[in-house]
């Protein structure tokens, strides 16, 4: 964190270390928040004491989650302007979209603003990635994966999620230059697309309906 505040562009290794550190910390709290939210819903008919206990824990986890997200978003405000290459710019903007997406997962007065901030960051990153990075680039693929998850889980636009996942998968698997492809991300894109297509058919083709909160989540990076 101190290195990120020094006012110089981070190396690839440094930015990966920063990303992993926050992903682990925030990921634990996101999982806990989802699980306790499901529990709160299931135990809604229990006594007030039980409900207040669960609610109190959820709010505590929520506060910690928001604090971590806002912390790295503050760092990104300094890091994004320092990025010189297309990969670095897309990497940081993707992270910005990711952490605003995490903030938007919980209800609250600022949710709409967080959703828009996430969309804008993903959109800006996508424009740079499409123009300057090959279709098989790992950072571009990871961006498309997470942007599609955002469309499906947060933005309530499953049609856009499926379109982005499908187009990204098809472009990357063409590999016209014989370059290597990150098969892990391609598998996640394919699996998500299969799940979303099935869910849309099960819901009668409903568009713009976010998935029900059931304690599960699709795959992202």
């Amino acid at each position: 964190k101190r290195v990120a505040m020094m006012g110089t562009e981070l190396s690839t290794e440094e930015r990966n270390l920063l990303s992993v550190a926050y992903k682990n910390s925030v990921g634990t709290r996101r999982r806990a928040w989802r699980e306790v939210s499901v529990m709160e819903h299931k135990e809604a008919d229990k006594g007030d004491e039980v409900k207040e206990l669960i609610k109190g824990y959820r709010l505590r986890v929520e506060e910690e989650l928001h604090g971590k997200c806002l912390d790295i978003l503050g760092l990104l405000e300094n890091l994004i302007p320092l990025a010189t290459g297309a990969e670095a710019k897309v990497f940081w903007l993707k992270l910005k979209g990711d952490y605003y997406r995490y903030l938007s997962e919980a209800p609250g007065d600022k949710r709409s603003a967080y959703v828009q901030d996430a969309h804008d960051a993903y959109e800006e990153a996508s424009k740079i990635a499409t123009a300057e990075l090959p279709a098989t680039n790992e950072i571009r693929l990871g961006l498309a994966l997470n942007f599609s998850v955002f469309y499906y889980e947060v933005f309530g636009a499953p049609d856009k999620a499926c379109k982005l996942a499908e187009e990204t998968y098809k472009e990357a698997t063409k590999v016209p230059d014989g370059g290597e492809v990150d098969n892990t991300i391609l598998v996640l894109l394919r699996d998500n697309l299969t799940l979303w297509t099935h869910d849309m058919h099960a819901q009668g083709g409903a568009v713009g309906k976010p998935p029900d909160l059931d304690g599960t989540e699709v795959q992202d990076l």
Side-chain angles (χ1 to χ4, degrees):
K1 183 175 178 179
R2 289 195 299 271
V3 174
M5 296 294 292
M6 291 176 62
T8 56
E9 184 173 12
L10 299 190
S11 67
T12 300
E13 182 180 3
E14 288 169 338
R15 76 188 186 209
N16 286 337
L17 287 172
L18 180 67
S19 173
V20 169
Y22 273 93
K23 179 180 180 181
N24 291 338
S25 178
V26 170
T28 300
R29 289 164 175 81
R30 284 181 72 212
R31 288 190 294 273
W33 183 85
R34 283 179 178 251
E35 290 169 2
V36 76
S37 295
V38 172
M39 184 187 300
E40 188 175 24
H41 178 72
K42 289 181 177 178
E43 304 296 331
D45 59 344
K46 297 295 178 67
D48 291 341
E49 185 176 349
V50 173
K51 289 192 293 185
E52 285 301 314
L53 184 65
I54 298 173
K55 179 181 178 182
Y57 180 64
R58 174 179 59 79
L59 291 175
R60 188 166 83 244
V61 173
E62 215 168 277
E63 183 178 359
E64 292 178 2
L65 174 60
H66 280 214
K68 292 291 183 181
C69 289
L70 292 173
D71 190 27
I72 189 171
L73 285 167
L75 294 178
L76 290 173
E77 289 303 309
N78 296 318
L79 292 168
I80 292 172
L82 297 172
T84 54
E87 275 201 357
K89 291 176 183 176
V90 173
F91 183 91
W92 293 128
L93 285 168
K94 171 190 167 292
L95 279 193
K96 183 177 180 179
D98 288 342
Y99 285 95
Y100 272 120
R101 170 162 62 94
Y102 303 155
L103 285 172
S104 71
E105 289 175 342
D109 296 339
K110 297 182 179 179
R111 184 179 186 278
S112 294
Y114 290 149
V115 170
Q116 189 60 52
D117 287 337
H119 178 274
D120 292 349
Y122 283 137
E123 185 71 29
E124 184 178 354
S126 294
K127 290 179 180 178
I128 298 172
T130 302
E132 302 186 44
L133 299 178
T136 55
N137 180 272
E138 182 179 352
I139 295 176
R140 177 174 170 177
L141 289 173
L143 167 65
L145 174 65
N146 287 16
F147 197 3
S148 63
V149 169
F150 166 79
Y151 272 137
Y152 188 83
E153 288 200 327
V154 177
F155 211 61
D159 53 334
K160 290 185 177 181
C162 290
K163 184 173 185 289
L164 178 56
E166 184 176 16
E167 289 179 350
T168 301
Y169 184 86
K170 286 182 176 179
E171 287 182 24
T173 51
K174 289 178 182 177
V175 199
D177 58 355
E180 294 185 359
V181 185
D182 189 319
N183 287 323
T184 301
I185 302 178
L186 290 181
V187 169
L188 294 177
L189 282 166
R190 185 193 62 200
D191 289 350
N192 285 349
L193 183 59
T194 300
L195 173 65
W196 295 338
T197 303
H198 176 270
D199 286 351
M200 288 176 68
H201 286 313
Q203 294 171 6
V207 174
K209 179 183 178 182
D212 295 330
L213 180 65
D214 61 357
T216 63
E217 60 181 319
V218 293
Q219 299 295 320
D220 66 353
L221 290 179

